[in-house]
Amino acid sequence: MEKTPVQNSSNVASIGYDEDSSTLEIEFNNGATYQYFDVPENVFTGLRDADSVGGYLAATIKGTYRYSKV
Amino acid sequence: MSSKETYLGDVQDVKGTTVSISLSKESLTGFVYIDGQGYRVGQIGSFVRIPIGFNDLFGIISQVGASAIPKNQVEHQSHGNRWMTIQLIGEGPRRGVFQRGLSQYPTIGDEVHLVSEKELKNIYGQPDKPYFVKLGHISNADSIPALIDINKLVTRHSAVVGTTGSGKSTTVASIINALSESDRYPSSRIIMLDLHGEYGHALKDKAHIYKINSDTTSKLKEKELHIPFWALNFDELCEISFGEFNNEKDKNIVLERVQKYKNDSLAEYPRKGASTDALSVDSPIPFSIHELWHELFIETFGTYYKGKGGKPIDNLAYEIDANGNELKGNPMEGIPPVFKNVVTDAGEEKINYLPGSFASLGKQVSLLGTKLRIPRYDFIFKPNGWMPDADGKVTQDLDCLLKNWIGSDKPVTILDLSGVPPDILQTTIGALLRILYEALFWARNLSQGGRHRPLLVVMEEAHIYLNDDFKGMASKVVQRIVKEGRKYGIGAMIVSQRPSEINPTILSQCGTFFALRLTNASDRNHITSALSDNLDGLTSMLPILRTGEAIILGEAVKLPMRTTIEAPPKDRRPDSQDPVVYDEMPQDDSINTGGWGLNMEANPNYEELVEAWRAQNPKIDRVIP
């Protein structure tokens, strides 16, 4: 999956989204990568455009969508 | 006296290598300055020097205070806390090179001096010698590097022990990083048995990673791990495929068959070095275990038409499927033939079991059939290029396997065994190590053999497969490696958090110990008793070591040293972090995605959880490559 780097985030390195399967991929600064499943596209765009990616991730995605480490 | 400031006291009592010292009044201030640097007097584990003529004897402080008074002196000491016990460890000419061992003893009245940092440097170090690697620095002297002699480290074997969380994997990663530096050691050769897949990330630039169910798309470029079943010896093969036999007779039946299959295969495809005369059942010759199983299955469960002439085996009574085909099974896929039931009624065509069938082999044969079908066992029974055809033809021989493991372009090979079924883990590791050992043993005259390019085998979590059970295949092979490997260039590094569960013979053969924090008393005793040095004082420090701190002692170091191991850079650390229960970081900055502090998912998906379990693969289908 293609990911775009995130600038100025203390924890997230890059994010990517697969529309066909609604999968959000997040790579953290330490290289650990996770895929969140069944994430609506508007959540991804919200994350992408958020002022604080880490903050949006914590508020909207963590604890809401299921994921797998990849 | 020129060395007045380092003076501690006098020798009062010598018993073997244990020396009692009475401290002088002057040194009792507890703090002395030498060359402007302060030293605490009487720190357990620190060094003292006893000058004798042109030589200096060196010892380690093991006890200080009231209990260090010699027993017969107790009554005469009115103010008697000024005692210290030391263990002698070596000597050296003044300003010369330190050596282990003693040629003489101190006598009563000899002066005892503190060892300053300058002198310590002289004892510890020759950093310019290329066969020393630096792992960190001495704990109470930052300027002194902790140097390890790799000659001794590799051939005399070593053990890394420490409680979970004491920094064991990081220490191992540091050692391997230092040993595999390609500028210094372009031909270094290390193989790691990684039971939990911890090291791939830490050593990704230097290592090839072989793994069952490898993920070729991941950044680590994992490759598929194969251990061809025909490279195992007969005992290993039986353990893995048939399980226990009921009696010797059954075992002999299988043994003869395997021998015959190997013979036929060799006759068809001659291999250099092997001849049919010298062939044994243990020889690594490809043969088809699938055909063997199929044949045994027929002879165990087969029925035949009694009424027809000729041999019973030519008149097998296969069941017929809906299309009228005989259900002969498929050896390669592990599908067994289906036979008709026995018929003895008068007037019908009689069907009977084959005469002399191996009825008591039934369980073993069925078990092997299952294993041939289950994908988990494919790494051993369907090893890709090493998979023999029915007549024993293979596209790749063992040379490719060995070249991948110990002859690749990278110094380290990580065999990630996290996907090996637990019931055959011991045997698999045993087989794997034996293959390596035998290959290097017999190749001892060749440039790629063990004597000319030694191999270091790192065994992670060794207590799992090297426990006291002498029956274990792994335990047997490792015993052989630690006893004889030295001569043939195979060195073991045994890593464990539970040294008391490791076979004592194996542990006692380890020349070098990296002892990290060990809190459990039985583990500590086990280590203390395995050490060749008389160093109770040092090992008593084991429970209070800081994380990442190790006492290194044994052959690879001149002196036992308390070392702060230099951890690899953050992104090169092994992946053994504990799960986070509650994240200490605020969620906005955290790189953790789980923990008890997060909201509970509204609709937790346990189907995927079971999917991963059933597939025995942590990666579910839903994950996009």
Side-chain angles (χ1 to χ4, degrees):
Chain A
M1 191 186 309
E2 248 175 57
K3 292 202 290 286
T4 42
V6 174
Q7 312 295 334
N8 307 326
S9 172
S10 60
N11 55 350
V12 180
S14 63
I15 57 174
Y17 188 71
D18 180 72
E19 286 138 38
D20 298 340
S21 62
S22 305
T23 305
L24 168 70
E25 189 165 296
I26 291 180
E27 186 185 355
F28 287 103
N29 281 335
N30 69 343
T33 308
Y34 294 83
Q35 284 187 7
Y36 281 88
F37 304 133
D38 301 333
V39 179
E41 191 161 1
N42 64 329
V43 174
F44 167 68
T45 48
L47 179 73
R48 191 186 54 199
D49 303 335
D51 290 334
S52 158
V53 173
Y56 190 90
L57 182 69
T60 322
I61 296 168
K62 282 184 187 178
T64 307
Y65 300 100
R66 70 186 202 284
Y67 63 87
S68 169
K69 192 173 193 289
V70 293
Chain B
M1 202 190 304
S2 66
S3 53
K4 185 90 179 144
E5 64 267 33
T6 62
Y7 174 65
L8 288 177
D10 300 309
V11 173
Q12 296 294 354
D13 187 67
V14 182
K15 192 198 278 169
T17 57
T18 311
V19 178
S20 293
I21 292 156
S22 68
L23 294 176
S24 80
K25 288 209 174 65
E26 291 83 67
S27 67
L28 285 180
T29 52
F31 208 73
V32 294
Y33 283 92
I34 304 162
D35 296 336
Q37 192 158 1
Y39 294 89
R40 299 263 302 151
V41 173
Q43 288 287 298
I44 303 267
S46 68
F47 290 98
V48 295
R49 177 170 61 90
I50 305 171
I52 292 179
F54 292 113
N55 281 330
D56 282 337
L57 304 182
F58 289 93
I60 293 183
I61 300 177
S62 62
Q63 215 178 18
V64 179
S67 60
I69 305 170
K71 277 206 180 85
N72 49 359
Q73 290 264 352
V74 173
E75 288 162 21
H76 310 294
Q77 298 290 325
S78 49
H79 52 301
N81 294 343
R82 300 165 182 174
W83 285 82
M84 196 160 81
T85 310
I86 65 163
Q87 303 289 338
L88 294 172
I89 48 170
E91 64 180 4
R94 219 161 268 180
R95 290 184 192 80
V97 180
F98 171 85
Q99 279 181 328
R100 298 294 296 274
L102 299 167
S103 62
Q104 54 189 336
Y105 283 101
T107 41
I108 297 167
D110 284 343
E111 284 186 3
V112 180
H113 290 266
L114 200 90
V115 175
S116 70
E117 198 163 320
K118 215 163 97 194
E119 285 167 306
L120 264 186
K121 239 180 208 164
N122 196 22
I123 296 177
Y124 277 124
Q126 291 135 314
D128 48 335
K129 296 267 169 58
Y131 52 89
F132 279 100
V133 293
K134 185 185 162 200
L135 289 187
H137 59 81
I138 306 292
S139 280
N140 40 19
D142 288 359
S143 67
I144 303 177
L147 300 171
I148 309 282
D149 180 345
I150 66 164
N151 280 325
K152 301 273 169 59
L153 177 72
V154 174
T155 56
R156 303 289 166 88
H157 316 297
S158 56
V160 182
V161 295
T163 312
T164 341
S166 58
K168 218 167 41 270
S169 336
T170 314
T171 303
V172 173
S174 281
I175 298 172
I176 302 306
N177 249 319
L179 291 179
S180 59
E181 241 174 72
S182 55
D183 314 343
R184 300 180 74 187
Y185 314 117
S187 285
S188 71
R189 194 190 227 183
I190 299 164
I191 196 159
M192 297 182 82
L193 307 183
D194 184 2
L195 265 70
H196 300 311
E198 288 174 26
Y199 290 94
H201 187 65
L203 296 164
K204 57 186 170 208
D205 301 342
K206 294 176 166 177
H208 285 297
I209 299 155
Y210 289 89
K211 188 179 178 184
I212 296 169
N213 280 330
S214 61
D215 178 6
T216 41
T217 56
S218 90
K219 278 173 266 171
L220 300 176
K221 302 210 171 51
E222 296 162 348
K223 294 174 186 172
E224 196 64 35
L225 173 68
H226 296 294
I227 303 171
F229 62 88
W230 49 268
L232 310 184
N233 66 23
F234 183 66
D235 283 344
E236 291 159 359
L237 184 68
C238 288
E239 283 272 336
I240 285 184
S241 48
F242 296 100
E244 291 261 310
F245 288 105
N246 297 327
N247 51 52
E248 279 298 302
K249 192 181 142 231
D250 288 353
K251 194 170 179 179
N252 287 337
I253 292 169
V254 176
L255 187 140
E256 273 167 33
R257 287 297 160 92
V258 172
Q259 172 101 27
K260 180 178 156 287
Y261 269 76
K262 286 190 172 175
N263 245 325
D264 293 350
S265 156
L266 191 61
E268 186 83 8
Y269 304 100
R271 291 173 197 280
K272 208 158 188 191
S275 71
T276 44
D277 306 335
L279 183 80
S280 92
V281 70
D282 295 331
S283 308
I285 302 293
F287 73 98
S288 175
I289 198 164
H290 295 81
E291 290 292 332
L292 172 73
W293 164 76
H294 195 246
E295 190 183 289
L296 285 173
F297 192 94
I298 292 173
E299 289 177 52
T300 307
F301 297 105
T303 53
Y304 75 111
Y305 299 108
K306 210 175 174 185
K308 290 189 183 168
K311 288 185 195 161
I313 199 90
D314 297 327
N315 298 318
L316 290 170
Y318 290 112
E319 195 70 71
I320 311 286
D321 74 358
N323 302 326
N325 299 320
E326 287 188 323
L327 291 167
K328 287 186 168 177
N330 183 333
M332 287 303 163
E333 287 169 23
I335 301 171
V338 183
F339 294 100
K340 288 188 169 160
N341 287 335
V342 171
V343 179
T344 48
D345 300 346
E348 285 182 51
E349 189 174 18
K350 288 217 168 77
I351 297 176
N352 215 338
Y353 283 116
L354 287 173
S357 72
F358 312 140
S360 60
L361 264 176
K363 189 182 131 205
Q364 286 78 5
V365 171
S366 309
L367 189 67
L368 175 56
T370 321
K371 287 179 176 171
L372 295 182
R373 286 189 296 273
I374 299 179
R376 272 194 294 156
Y377 288 90
D378 280 359
F379 77 101
I380 215 157
F381 292 120
K382 288 181 188 158
N384 240 349
W386 294 279
M387 167 84 173
D389 293 345
D391 59 353
K393 183 185 175 192
V394 285
T395 44
Q396 281 172 303
D397 203 349
L398 288 179
D399 57 328
C400 298
L401 188 79
L402 290 167
K403 204 170 165 186
N404 285 346
W405 285 357
I406 54 176
S408 71
D409 52 334
K410 294 187 180 172
V412 185
T413 300
I414 297 174
L415 303 181
D416 184 334
L417 302 172
S418 51
V420 177
D423 51 327
I424 59 163
L425 181 69
Q426 269 233 18
T427 316
T428 308
I429 291 176
L432 204 149
L433 291 174
R434 191 191 51 81
I435 292 171
L436 288 171
Y437 181 81
E438 295 213 337
L440 293 180
F441 171 83
W442 289 109
R444 55 187 179 262
N445 288 344
L446 306 177
S447 59
Q448 287 294 324
R451 277 194 71 85
H452 302 277
R453 196 181 161 210
L455 172 73
L456 175 66
V457 186
V458 182
M459 296 173 222
E460 240 318 288
E461 304 281 0
H463 52 275
I464 297 175
Y465 46 92
L466 297 186
N467 42 36
D468 226 338
D469 178 10
F470 278 86
K471 274 168 69 189
M473 296 275 176
S475 190
K476 267 188 217 162
V477 183
V478 176
Q479 277 196 54
R480 205 163 131 202
I481 291 179
V482 292
K483 282 182 192 157
E484 298 162 27
R486 182 162 75 86
K487 300 188 187 77
Y488 305 105
I490 300 150
M493 176 180 283
I494 289 159
V495 186
S496 174
Q497 52 184 284
R498 198 81 177 97
S500 60
E501 281 178 20
I502 294 180
N503 191 325
T505 322
I506 293 174
L507 214 53
S508 67
Q509 293 290 321
C510 292
T512 308
F513 280 85
F514 298 82
L516 290 102
R517 186 172 59 240
L518 266 182
T519 39
N520 183 296
S522 71
D523 283 335
R524 228 163 41 231
N525 291 339
H526 209 69
I527 289 297
T528 314
S529 62
L531 295 175
S532 47
D533 298 286
N534 177 18
L535 295 168
D536 295 348
L538 266 181
T539 48
S540 65
M541 289 197 306
L542 287 176
I544 53 154
L545 290 176
R546 285 168 290 180
T547 299
E549 215 179 25
I551 294 177
I552 309 178
L553 63 186
E555 309 206 27
V557 289
K558 294 194 144 187
L559 273 183
M561 47 194 188
R562 184 170 171 176
T563 308
T564 307
I565 306 269
E566 207 171 284
K570 269 221 164 104
D571 57 332
R572 292 290 157 77
R573 287 193 194 158
D575 199 4
S576 57
Q577 265 82 26
D578 291 336
V580 173
V581 178
Y582 194 98
D583 207 335
E584 293 168 12
M585 297 271 282
Q587 268 309 326
D588 290 6
D589 304 319
S590 159
I591 54 163
N592 287 307
T593 50
W596 286 7
L598 286 177
N599 288 334
M600 178 59 198
E601 283 169 29
N603 243 331
N605 187 323
Y606 280 76
E607 281 163 29
E608 284 167 349
L609 191 139
V610 174
E611 174 195 334
W613 174 23
R614 286 224 174 90
Q616 309 255 316
N617 183 357
K619 191 170 174 181
I620 56 170
D621 275 349
R622 181 70 172 72
V623 170
I624 299 166

